[in-house]
């Protein structure tokens, strides 16, 4: 046998041996050579899940609870519990967000309510002030209107007469209404006094109800009070001084006029007059001693 043929046979034998060894290792055939794995290496492959460890394909399906296998039913329940927990967590998060938003809205509502209350109070205050201002304006307008339309009384002239025989004084008074409305229920009274010229001892006569003269004066008219004789005689000694010794008497008169205007208010005017008496049984004029008459009003407090 040639050497070349021998080499071919040896190569064929070696190839056949290697192939037999590989098949034995792959199939685990008894008698085949076994290779030993290094210590600590995991030589077992991870098996794929096999029934009954495969859960139902849709955990939301009601049939998941009708699994006949206990393990699969339990796995389905755990799966459903996990999904419920996730849903609960998501709902809790949404609830927290809603609660925060609600709290913010509530806080804004409280702030808005406080602002509304403040604005309402301010509006009420302004309304009250406006009403008070309107009332004051109405009162002022009414007072101005009444002042323009009311009656105004003044004493135009006073004349006096002293009888030589009995010393009784008589007075004639003219009263003017310069207002725009009539003076109603007018009353007139006079207080009279006298003293020797240069003397400070004045003897006064206080008016009595019998001395009151009543009447009414139309707007712009003058009322002449009828002659009034006062029950206040000047004594004979004073008359003798005037007649025989040429001394003078200083005569004082204080006249008061009161009337009601068309608005129901009482208007009073008081003016003082004086005269130097050196003749009896004659009429003489008295002069006003005040630059301006003193005007007041009774109970209601308005100014005449």
């Amino acid at each position: 046998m040639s050497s070349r043929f021998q080499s071919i046979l040896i190569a064929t034998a070696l190839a056949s041996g290697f192939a037999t060894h590989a098949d034995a290792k792959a199939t685990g055939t008894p008698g085949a050579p076994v290779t030993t794995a290094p210590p600590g290496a995991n030589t077992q492959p991870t098996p794929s899940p096999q029934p009954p460890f495969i859960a139902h394909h849709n955990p939301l399906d009601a049939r998941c609870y009708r699994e006949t296998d206990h393990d699969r039913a339990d796995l389905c329940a755990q799966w459903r519990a996990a999904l419920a927990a996730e849903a609960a967590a998501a709902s809790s998060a949404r609830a927290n967000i809603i609660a925060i938003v609600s709290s913010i809205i509530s806080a804004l509502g409280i702030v808005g309510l406080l602002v509304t209350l403040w604005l309402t109070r301010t509006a009420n205050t302004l309304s009250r002030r406006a009403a008070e201002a309107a009332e004051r304006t109405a009162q002022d307008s009414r007072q101005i209107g009444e002042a323009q339309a009311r009656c105004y009384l003044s004493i135009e002239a006073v004349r006096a007469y002293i009888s030589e025989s009995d010393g009784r004084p008589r007075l004639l008074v003219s009263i003017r209404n310069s207002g725009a409305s009539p003076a109603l229920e007018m009353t007139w009274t006079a207080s009279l006094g006298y003293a020797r010229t240069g003397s400070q001892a004045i003897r006064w006569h206080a008016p009595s109800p019998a001395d009151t003269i009543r009447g009414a004066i139309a707007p712009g008219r003058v009322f002449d009070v009828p002659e009034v004789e006062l029950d206040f005689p000047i004594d004979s000694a004073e008359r003798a001084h005037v007649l025989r010794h040429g001394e003078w008497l200083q005569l004082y008169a204080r006249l008061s006029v009161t009337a009601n205007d068309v608005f129901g208010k009482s208007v009073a005017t008081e003016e003082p007059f004086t005269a130097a008496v050196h003749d009896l049984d004659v009429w003489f004029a008295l002069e006003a001693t005040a630059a301006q008459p003193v005007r007041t009003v009774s109970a209601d407090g308005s100014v005449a």
Side-chain angles (χ1 to χ4, degrees):
M1 186 178 295
S2 66
S3 58
R4 185 176 180 182
F5 183 76
Q6 289 178 354
S7 298
I8 293 172
L9 290 177
I10 292 172
T12 302
L14 289 174
S16 176
F18 281 122
T20 303
H21 178 74
D23 292 339
K25 182 178 180 181
T27 59
T29 305
V34 178
T35 58
T36 304
N42 185 9
T43 59
Q44 298 296 328
T46 302
S48 60
Q50 299 294 328
F53 302 107
I54 298 177
H56 195 276
H57 66 281
N58 185 6
L60 300 178
D61 193 344
R63 291 175 294 176
C64 180
Y65 286 103
R66 294 198 294 269
E67 292 287 349
T68 58
D69 185 87
H70 177 273
D71 293 332
R72 295 186 67 178
D74 184 65
L75 185 58
C76 181
Q78 294 179 15
W79 198 347
R80 291 289 295 267
L83 293 176
E86 291 179 358
S91 299
S92 177
R94 289 193 296 271
N96 290 336
I97 294 174
I98 293 173
I100 293 173
V101 174
S102 299
S103 299
I104 295 174
I105 294 175
S106 298
L108 293 176
I110 293 174
V111 173
L113 177 61
L114 293 176
V115 172
T116 302
L117 293 175
W118 179 78
L119 291 176
T120 302
R121 180 181 178 183
T122 302
N124 291 336
T125 301
L126 294 177
S127 299
R128 185 177 64 253
R129 291 178 180 175
E132 292 175 353
E135 184 178 358
R136 287 195 298 269
T137 301
Q139 291 178 353
D140 293 341
S141 299
R142 184 170 59 252
Q143 291 178 356
I144 292 173
E146 291 180 0
Q148 293 174 345
R150 57 169 297 171
C151 60
Y152 287 91
L153 303 179
S154 60
I155 299 174
E156 288 233 323
V158 179
R159 291 188 299 164
Y161 176 91
I162 299 176
S163 172
E164 180 182 349
S165 59
D166 58 11
R168 287 181 177 273
R170 295 175 176 83
L171 294 179
L172 287 175
V173 180
S174 296
I175 303 172
R176 175 180 291 276
N177 177 12
S178 56
S181 60
L184 307 175
E185 300 179 4
M186 184 199 70
T187 59
W188 173 86
T189 56
S191 299
L192 199 64
Y194 67 90
R196 293 184 185 183
T197 302
S199 174
Q200 299 297 324
I202 302 176
R203 180 184 174 192
W204 280 98
H205 160 68
S208 63
D211 299 326
T212 300
I213 305 299
R214 298 182 180 274
I217 309 176
R221 301 298 297 274
V222 176
F223 179 81
D224 293 321
V225 178
E227 179 183 327
V228 177
E229 181 179 331
L230 301 180
D231 186 15
F232 179 56
I234 297 176
D235 59 40
S236 57
E238 300 297 344
R239 297 199 304 273
H241 281 292
V242 172
L243 294 174
R244 298 172 190 172
H245 304 289
E247 293 190 11
W248 291 15
L249 292 179
Q250 195 71 23
L251 189 67
Y252 302 95
R254 186 167 56 244
L255 307 179
S256 298
V257 179
T258 302
N260 293 330
D261 60 15
V262 293
F263 304 104
K265 296 181 179 179
S266 178
V267 180
T269 297
E270 181 177 287
E271 298 185 39
F273 291 84
T274 186
V277 181
H278 54 83
D279 288 318
L280 302 181
D281 282 340
V282 296
W283 287 95
F284 54 91
L286 279 72
E287 296 180 355
T289 58
Q292 293 292 335
V294 179
R295 291 189 174 93
T296 58
V297 176
S298 57
D300 59 6
S302 59
V303 178

